[in-house]
Amino acid sequence: MKKKNSVFLIITIPAFLLFFIFHSFPALQGIFYSFTDWKGYGDWNFVGLKNYLNVFKDERAGDAYLFTFKFAIVATILVNIISLLVAIGLNSKIKFHKTLRAIYFLPYILSILIVGFIFNFIFAHFLPQIGDAFGWEFLARNILGNPDLAWIGIVIVAVWQAVSFNTILYLAGLVTISEDLYEAASIDGAGVWTKFWKITFPLIAPFFTINMVLSLKNFLMVFDQIVALTGGGPGKSTESISLLIYRGGFEGGEFAYQSANAVIYFIVIIVFSVIQLKFLNKREVEN
């Protein structure tokens, strides 16, 4: 047993070193510099909690947080509703259901940036041309150029690509449900809606919890879609926290300040995830 434990320890050491060098150490460096005035170059001095206090006074950061929360909440709700419906459809006895499962998963393996650039062309050129041809005013204009509507375009792209992964997770839960339960419910006269709320949803509740937590976490970290579609514009209307941290830290000489912003954002994501897990786990127990 001692020899086996030694072998296992030796195997894990390289992985631990790689994880520490490329993840933990940079994260610790960022936390350290968040208490300084370092610009990413040159000398630095300790400033204590000054950067953290300034984040709460920064209107640009406040707007970025509001946009990110709005985007993440809407996208999380939509992606889970759509992916659950798609999963139920793909789990039914239809023709080519295996082929359709593979097709629905394709968007997830595509590059987010490439998908974003393709949709940028669709929103900017393809849809306006269709709108002009048929006289549809709501399509004739590029919504990405509208400060009030640009975020909707980002939601559409993000949800379209995220549905595939969530669908697979829901399918994994649906296949664990025995058909005998549905047959017994049918004999008792239960309808489709009753079967869903009394059998399907309670039994896939753990998968619903996983999807909700992962979706919200991923959407709170939205970056690539915004870079490809709007670049944070028009103006700063679609600037997310991740994009603000990147631009300010690596392009604006605010490395220490944005490091403090990143630490705050990290804490916010953890708090949201913990609250979600506690609430949804409580629902699972009640069901």
Side-chain angles (χ1 to χ4, degrees):
M1 288 297 296
K2 288 183 178 180
K3 289 183 178 180
K4 287 185 178 180
N5 291 335
S6 298
V7 172
F8 294 149
L9 182 62
I10 293 172
I11 292 173
T12 57
I13 287 175
F16 171 78
L17 290 175
L18 289 172
F19 183 83
F20 180 80
I21 293 171
F22 293 104
H23 182 273
S24 302
F25 183 68
L28 294 174
Q29 274 189 312
I31 295 173
F32 172 80
Y33 283 122
S34 69
F35 296 101
T36 70
D37 60 357
W38 194 45
K39 298 179 180 180
Y41 55 87
D43 299 327
W44 53 266
N45 299 294
F46 278 105
V47 295
L49 296 174
K50 182 179 179 181
N51 290 326
Y52 290 90
L53 296 175
N54 287 337
V55 170
F56 290 99
K57 300 176 183 178
D58 190 347
E59 291 185 4
R60 183 178 177 184
D63 293 338
Y65 272 92
L66 288 175
F67 164 75
T68 305
F69 291 151
K70 177 178 70 173
F71 165 83
I73 292 171
V74 172
T76 298
I77 294 173
L78 288 177
V79 78
N80 278 280
I81 292 174
I82 296 172
S83 59
L84 180 56
L85 292 175
V86 173
I88 292 174
L90 293 177
N91 192 55
S92 60
K93 298 177 181 179
I94 59 175
K95 294 182 178 180
F96 311 113
H97 65 278
K98 292 184 178 180
T99 303
L100 289 173
R101 289 180 185 181
I103 293 174
Y104 271 102
F105 191 70
L106 283 177
Y108 186 74
I109 65 177
L110 299 176
S111 168
I112 298 177
L113 277 175
I114 293 176
V115 170
F117 288 132
I118 293 173
F119 271 92
N120 192 329
F121 175 82
I122 292 173
F123 286 128
H125 301 284
F126 184 69
L127 291 181
Q129 289 178 0
I130 293 178
D132 290 334
F134 290 93
W136 298 336
E137 293 186 4
F138 67 95
L139 283 180
R141 296 180 181 180
N142 179 10
I143 63 173
L144 299 180
N146 188 326
D148 298 324
L149 300 177
W151 73 280
I152 297 177
I154 300 172
V155 168
I156 292 172
V157 176
V159 169
W160 177 82
Q161 191 163 32
V163 160
S164 55
F165 178 75
N166 290 54
T167 298
I168 294 299
L169 291 181
Y170 280 126
L171 276 171
L174 290 171
V175 297
T176 63
I177 303 175
S178 174
E179 287 292 331
D180 295 338
L181 294 175
Y182 293 113
E183 291 177 3
S186 297
I187 294 173
D188 291 336
V192 175
W193 193 246
T194 303
K195 291 179 184 177
F196 174 78
W197 281 113
K198 299 298 183 180
I199 299 176
T200 305
F201 192 75
L203 291 178
I204 64 169
F207 297 88
F208 177 75
T209 299
I210 294 171
N211 271 332
M212 288 293 291
V213 174
L214 291 179
S215 297
L216 185 62
K217 188 266 295 181
N218 290 333
F219 288 135
L220 283 173
M221 298 169 62
V222 61
F223 179 83
D224 292 16
Q225 292 95 337
I226 295 176
V227 171
L229 291 168
T230 65
K236 303 296 180 184
S237 60
T238 60
E239 186 175 57
S240 67
I241 295 299
S242 298
L243 185 60
L244 174 61
I245 292 171
Y246 170 78
R247 283 181 170 170
F250 294 99
E251 297 177 0
E254 300 176 342
F255 190 90
Y257 175 69
Q258 294 302 337
S259 293
N261 195 5
V263 173
I264 293 173
Y265 196 44
F266 172 71
I267 295 172
V268 168
I269 293 176
I270 290 178
V271 170
F272 267 76
S273 299
V274 171
I275 292 174
Q276 267 190 301
L277 283 172
K278 285 190 175 181
F279 176 76
L280 294 173
N281 285 333
K282 184 179 179 181
R283 288 289 303 273
E284 288 180 29
V285 173
E286 292 176 354
N287 290 331

